[in-house]
Amino acid sequence: MSTIDLAPPRQLPEALTGKASPSPIQFAFTKKTGAHANHGKREALSGVQAQQTLNELLTQTKASQQARAIYIHIPFCRVRCTFCNFFQYASNQQMIDDYFDLLEQELIAKSRYPWTQARSFDAVYVGGGTPTDLSPQQLLRLGQLIHRHFPLSDNCEITLEGRLNRFSDDKFNAALESGFNRFSFGVQSFNSKVRRAAKRLDNRDYILERLSQLTASNQATIAIDLIYGLPHQTQENWQQDLQDVIDTGVHGVDLYQLLTFGGSGLQRNIDAGREVVPLDTSDKAMMYQQGHQFFTQQGFQQLSYCHWASDKREQSCYNSLAKQGAEILPIGAGAGGNINGYGLMQSRDIDTWRAGVTANNWAFEQLSLPANNAQLKAAITSACDKGRIEASLLPEGLALFKHCQVLFEAWQRNGLVTIKPTQVALTVAGQFWSVNLANAMTQYLQMYPLTNN
Ligand SMILES: C[S@@+](CC[C@H](N)C(=O)[O-])C[C@H]1O[C@@H](n2cnc3c(N)ncnc32)[C@H](O)[C@@H]1O
Ligand code: SF4
């Protein structure tokens, strides 16, 4: 059997190749094409058909041999940050308590499926919202439930996401006692002026001190998120943010580019002239470059285009599995998951979620069918995320790699990659545009598929 292809033209559209410019990191594309690689709209099942399909999947006693994860969502925040699209509900003790009780029921019910018990989980991520707003008792209980009901691998990464605000020693100790071994705090910026404008609670001194205490205790992996491009950020205060990462001793850091969207508090403030216009993409590109250079000089290990680790304990396993298209069991209102390639997004509305969970344990509205070429798309996303496209990690290996040569050569001419015989390494500019490159390669292969005959 030989491999032939629909020969792509020598001249590809700029949307795929980026454009030639003296500063590719700033100008190769005009805008990031989304927070994550976009694999297009998928067909979906709903109603009884969706529930039946899911039940068939979950009664399987044979699980895939791939690493997999659990995602548990806590949709409450004390204050809505101006830039954020994840906010669902304002924290209210009664609501959190009621939510927690039903979450417990959902967790136990989902743990009982043969699929769940068929293989151990390699990562658990409790995200939000602000899971650190749970009480010490709830954190203790949640960790215990996870350990009691799910098969976990020996070195399973169990992350609690949230923020440092009111994250007391009682909460930290309760989470540690019940087996959380990684904490991911959204810091966004250490700078007090930037924080105030974004409606972040607490000032720089508090954040520095609390983070230093948590890392000094040396009891768990501590990672933080920073955002670049927020109003009032400058090259100078961003450099100070980067230095603060070192001074607090955290084990991992994500650098996220600010994405703005209509309807956010930030956009409303800008439109009403109450807030300065945030930096444009070319300025944000320079901040990314500054961060990249800084952590490289500091000897941090780069785990993805936007994540650096100072310590071997930090693996960022959940994020990496999510980008590889691994199976993820979703629990909670607004949790997203993937079971055997079927995608499900649970209802964000707590009442709808409650009704679904009470009726049949599941609260999703649609079950998306596995994407066409899901394995290929996940391989591309994961490769671009890690900054290296290796022929051996692509389905159809070298044949597919060679088939993409025209695209890779265009990227190389535009300063986005360096081509080697069996791999393509993304330059710093290419890494900044990693999501665009992943989307471009996926689109290229849709336009010019590699066909076997
Ligand atoms: C779901 S949030 C939860 C974090 C936590 N609640 C907090 O307040 O820090 C996870 C991360 O998404 C990132 N994020 C939120 N909105 C963003 C935006 N508009 N652009 C880029 N990153 C954003 C932030 O860095 C945040 O830490
Ligand atoms: S950044 Fe965190 S605390 Fe702020 S609104 Fe988003 S999820 Fe809530």
Side-chain angles (χ1 to χ4, degrees):
M1 203 155 80
S2 66
T3 300
I4 57 150
D5 51 73
L6 295 178
R10 299 304 304 170
Q11 198 67 33
L12 293 169
E14 246 178 39
L16 300 187
T17 62
K19 59 173 181 266
S21 96
S23 180
I25 194 165
Q26 292 180 286
F27 305 117
F29 298 92
T30 44
K31 207 167 175 279
K32 190 171 178 178
T33 40
H36 308 293
N38 170 12
H39 295 154
K41 208 163 160 34
R42 288 153 61 177
E43 282 184 57
L45 302 175
S46 56
V48 178
Q49 214 188 358
Q51 296 284 352
Q52 271 172 357
T53 306
L54 191 59
N55 275 330
E56 279 162 28
L57 291 170
L58 291 162
T59 41
Q60 288 171 18
T61 46
K62 215 168 151 278
S64 103
Q65 287 313 299
Q66 309 291 326
R68 60 182 191 160
I70 300 171
Y71 178 81
I72 302 174
H73 195 65
I74 309 291
F76 302 97
C77 301
R78 286 194 49 238
V79 175
R80 179 179 199 150
C81 309
T82 57
F83 54 82
C84 185
N85 199 18
F86 297 95
F87 180 91
Q88 283 172 258
Y89 291 96
S91 296
N92 158 308
Q93 202 52 55
Q94 190 56 51
M95 260 178 102
I96 297 183
D97 293 349
D98 291 348
Y99 181 83
F100 193 83
D101 289 345
L102 192 62
L103 188 78
E104 179 168 338
Q105 267 186 50
E106 185 191 3
L107 184 151
I108 294 172
K110 287 186 173 173
S111 75
R112 294 196 172 129
Y113 289 106
W115 173 90
T116 311
Q117 295 299 329
R119 188 194 186 286
S120 58
F121 290 89
D122 304 274
V124 181
Y125 197 94
V126 180
T130 312
T132 46
D133 280 352
L134 294 175
S135 68
Q137 295 71 23
Q138 286 165 334
L139 290 173
L140 185 68
R141 179 97 185 117
L142 185 55
Q144 288 169 341
L145 287 167
I146 292 168
H147 281 86
R148 189 172 308 148
H149 294 283
F150 294 105
L152 304 176
S153 62
D154 286 347
N155 51 0
C156 182
E157 176 190 273
I158 308 183
T159 303
L160 181 69
E161 182 180 62
R163 50 184 178 184
L164 294 153
N165 179 258
R166 299 195 187 178
F167 189 63
S168 60
D169 280 345
D170 281 356
K171 291 191 181 190
F172 188 42
N173 291 332
L176 288 172
E177 192 185 327
S178 65
F180 284 92
N181 52 23
R182 182 173 182 273
F183 294 81
S184 174
F185 297 107
V187 168
Q188 324 310 355
S189 166
F190 288 93
N191 184 277
S192 295
K193 183 175 176 189
V194 176
R195 295 182 63 78
R196 250 194 322 276
K199 285 220 183 153
R200 293 298 290 179
L201 300 166
D202 306 311
N203 63 20
R204 174 165 182 268
D205 290 346
Y206 170 79
I207 299 293
L208 286 177
E209 192 187 332
R210 188 69 187 128
L211 267 183
S212 304
Q213 285 165 358
L214 296 175
T215 53
S217 79
N218 205 23
Q219 298 190 77
T221 306
I222 310 287
I224 63 168
D225 295 341
L226 292 180
I227 295 183
Y228 54 94
L230 288 166
H232 310 287
Q233 278 184 314
T234 61
Q235 192 194 347
E236 289 73 30
N237 64 32
W238 179 237
Q239 188 67 31
Q240 184 61 54
D241 275 355
L242 300 175
Q243 183 58 46
D244 288 346
V245 171
I246 308 298
D247 295 345
T248 52
V250 296
H251 310 118
V253 57
D254 265 298
L255 301 187
Y256 291 130
Q257 176 181 171
L258 174 71
L259 297 176
T260 42
F261 49 90
S264 69
L266 175 58
Q267 195 57 52
R268 278 200 307 275
N269 288 345
I270 296 165
D271 294 345
R274 289 190 298 265
E275 183 53 283
V276 296
V277 177
L279 300 175
D280 67 17
T281 301
S282 66
D283 294 323
K284 290 192 276 195
M286 297 319 285
M287 294 176 84
Y288 173 80
Q289 181 167 283
Q290 198 180 336
H292 195 291
Q293 203 170 26
F294 182 82
F295 292 120
T296 306
Q297 279 163 0
Q298 294 289 333
F300 277 46
Q301 196 197 348
Q302 195 180 358
L303 300 182
S304 81
Y305 81 93
C306 62
H307 192 84
W308 283 263
S310 66
D311 188 298
K312 284 205 166 48
R313 274 179 297 181
E314 167 61 335
Q315 300 285 319
S316 194
C317 176
Y318 175 83
N319 284 332
S320 155
L321 288 179
K323 284 172 186 161
Q324 283 164 30
E327 286 190 292
I328 295 177
L329 175 67
I331 300 175
N338 160 20
I339 295 184
N340 199 11
Y342 286 81
L344 57 168
M345 184 70 210
Q346 306 222 108
S347 171
R348 278 168 68 89
D349 174 70
I350 290 192
D351 291 333
T352 316
W353 166 75
R354 185 183 299 110
V357 171
T358 314
N360 56 18
N361 305 331
W362 293 93
F364 63 90
E365 274 141 32
Q366 287 191 328
L367 187 66
S368 313
L369 297 182
N372 285 333
N373 290 327
Q375 205 198 345
L376 171 64
K377 289 170 180 171
I380 293 172
T381 305
S382 176
C384 290
D385 182 65
K386 294 205 156 55
R388 202 169 40 250
I389 304 169
E390 289 186 54
S392 62
L393 298 181
L394 295 173
E396 306 190 68
L398 204 55
L400 190 90
F401 185 83
K402 286 191 174 150
H403 178 76
C404 293
Q405 202 68 16
V406 182
L407 179 66
F408 296 157
E409 281 166 8
W411 284 351
Q412 182 164 259
R413 280 195 300 280
N414 292 336
L416 297 167
V417 303
T418 309
I419 303 176
K420 301 185 180 148
T422 58
Q423 63 163 254
V424 158
L426 274 61
T427 59
V428 178
Q431 291 173 47
F432 178 71
W433 295 111
S434 153
V435 170
N436 295 54
L437 297 191
N439 286 337
M441 185 165 163
T442 306
Q443 218 182 320
Y444 171 90
L445 287 168
Q446 274 159 1
M447 290 160 74
Y448 313 109
L450 176 70
T451 51
N452 294 319
N453 74 352

